[in-house]
Amino acid sequence: METNNLRVILMNPPTAGPAREPLLSLAYLAAVLRRSGHDVLIVDGTAPYARKSVKEIIDIITEYRPHFIGITLTFVNISASYVFIKGLKCLQVPIVLGGPHPNACPQEALDNGGDIVCIGEGEETIIELAEFFQGKRELEIVNGICFKDEQGKVFFTKMRPLIKDLDTLPFPDFIEESNKF
């Protein structure tokens, strides 16, 4: 694996009705990744101003060639989200799932297409996951995740403590560059 900065797609899947506003969680994750020097593309499949179809999203992923995709999942329309995620598996890009639903049902999220599930706050975890994808860190020592080991058994790492000083986080970065694809 390359040891330079990564290309990452952060996504809200196109499986729900149009959103009213951008997802703040994706903007915070984008900000911490960009602060670490990574290239981040936010693809909001439910954005009312630039809603994306499944085909458009697959085209974006194919052209951008991310090292991994981070997808946020809520409880609404989870069945359709899982169908969407399973459809991305043919692209052979690792899929990291986070958000309320994977936090509540991490094994279910793994069983439905996720390669790694973030449990708890993701701002510190996603930086360590980027280090894993760069070949700089072992997956087993990234706190706050679960994944399936080589035998298919679900492995939970140590829980990550909550971020005590939220002022250490950069301001959310809402730049969505996917309109150029």
Side-chain angles (χ1 to χ4, degrees):
M1 176 51 86
E2 301 173 6
T3 57
N4 57 356
N5 294 334
L6 303 177
R7 289 178 311 282
V8 179
I9 288 181
L10 298 176
M11 180 187 310
N12 186 21
T15 54
R20 294 184 185 175
E21 65 274 333
L23 285 177
L24 192 58
S25 59
L26 294 182
Y28 271 109
L29 295 173
V32 296
L33 283 165
R34 288 177 177 142
R35 181 174 65 183
S36 293
H38 302 293
D39 295 321
V40 179
L41 182 63
I42 297 174
V43 178
D44 188 349
T46 64
Y49 54 88
R51 193 172 169 103
K52 303 275 188 267
S53 70
V54 172
K55 183 187 180 321
E56 288 173 312
I57 290 174
I58 289 173
D59 290 345
I60 290 168
I61 294 167
T62 301
E63 185 174 334
Y64 192 69
R65 298 176 306 130
H67 292 88
F68 72 96
I69 300 169
I71 302 176
T72 187
L73 297 176
T74 60
F75 293 99
V76 179
N77 299 315
I78 193 64
S79 296
S81 295
Y82 285 153
V83 169
F84 171 75
I85 290 164
K86 288 176 184 175
L88 296 180
K89 296 304 282 184
C90 67
L91 300 174
Q92 298 183 335
V93 178
I95 296 174
V96 178
L97 300 178
H101 193 88
N103 268 271
C105 306
Q107 182 164 351
E108 176 189 289
L110 290 173
D111 290 342
N112 283 281
D115 296 303
I116 300 169
V117 171
C118 288
I119 302 169
E121 297 173 336
E123 289 80 6
E124 292 174 346
T125 304
I126 201 159
I127 296 302
E128 292 183 9
L129 284 172
E131 292 171 356
F132 163 72
F133 287 112
Q134 289 174 300
K136 297 179 179 179
R137 181 181 291 268
E138 295 296 319
L139 191 58
E140 295 80 11
I141 63 168
V142 175
N143 291 337
I145 64 168
C146 71
F147 58 93
K148 289 186 178 180
D149 64 17
E150 292 176 5
Q151 291 75 39
K153 181 180 178 206
V154 177
F155 181 84
F156 287 85
T157 64
K158 180 179 169 186
M159 290 302 299
R160 180 175 299 280
L162 295 175
I163 299 170
K164 292 182 194 251
D165 184 1
L166 296 177
D167 290 332
T168 62
L169 297 176
F171 286 108
D173 190 339
F174 284 105
I175 296 171
E176 180 188 349
E177 298 175 4
S178 63
N179 58 359
K180 66 183 173 186
F181 289 96

